[in-house]
Amino acid sequence: MYTVQHCAAQMVKQKTGGNIVCISSAAGHHGCAPMTCAAYVASKHAVLGLVKQVAGELAEHGIRCNSISPGIMRTAMLKKIFEGTQGREELLSSGCMLKRVGEPDELHGAMLYLMSDASSYMTGNDILVNGGKL
């Protein structure tokens, strides 16, 4: 939230418009039970709400605000979750249509789209990149 506030203030001051892209999580859309991570899910849901509100506040300044919600991605955090628990990766990836964990590089296309003029009529929205979560 503070990063968005700081960036938005600078963009408004410069009067050049621009794009803000926040990173949420697919968990902000559908939770991640049976894991116990209510605080994580709540914080990611909050990012989605922040994006919608900020988009409305900044639209008059030509500033768009959107978000990306990654699904299960092979990150350092996920590696810790998988450590010592055999079968957890298969269990988590079985819940998506592609039946695999995503790679961080697979977020590049969504980010490029949101930062480019190709998405010039898009604000206050989220792109789910989650392998087709069932």
Side-chain angles (χ1 to χ4, degrees), residues 29-42:
H29 289 267
H30 50 65
C32 53
M35 294 170 46
T36 53
C37 53
Y40 176 81
V41 170

Side-chain angles (χ1 to χ4, degrees), residues 10-28:
Q10 283 300 111
M11 292 170 139
V12 169
K13 186 176 169 180
Q14 292 172 346
K15 298 180 181 179
T16 57
N19 300 309
I20 297 172
V21 179
C22 297
I23 304 298
S24 182
S25 170

Side-chain angles (χ1 to χ4, degrees), residues 46-64:
V47 171
L48 299 174
L50 175 70
V51 164
K52 288 186 181 308
Q53 181 61 34
V54 169
E57 292 176 10
L58 297 177
E60 69 181 274
H61 301 285
I63 301 168
R64 298 185 296 112

Side-chain angles (χ1 to χ4, degrees), residues 48-85:
L48 299 174
L50 175 70
V51 164
K52 288 186 181 308
Q53 181 61 34
V54 169
E57 292 176 10
L58 297 177
E60 69 181 274
H61 301 285
I63 301 168
R64 298 185 296 112
C65 186
N66 292 291
S67 60
I68 298 172
S69 288
I72 301 164
M73 294 284 162
R74 194 173 308 284
T75 61
M77 182 178 81
L78 192 66
K79 287 176 187 172
K80 287 182 182 179
I81 291 171
F82 290 162
E83 281 178 10
T85 310

Side-chain angles (χ1 to χ4, degrees), residues 78-98:
L78 192 66
K79 287 176 187 172
K80 287 182 182 179
I81 291 171
F82 290 162
E83 281 178 10
T85 310
Q86 190 169 7
R88 180 158 288 177
E89 180 172 348
E90 291 77 20
L91 175 66
L92 290 175
S93 62
S94 70
C96 75
M97 293 175 199
L98 296 179

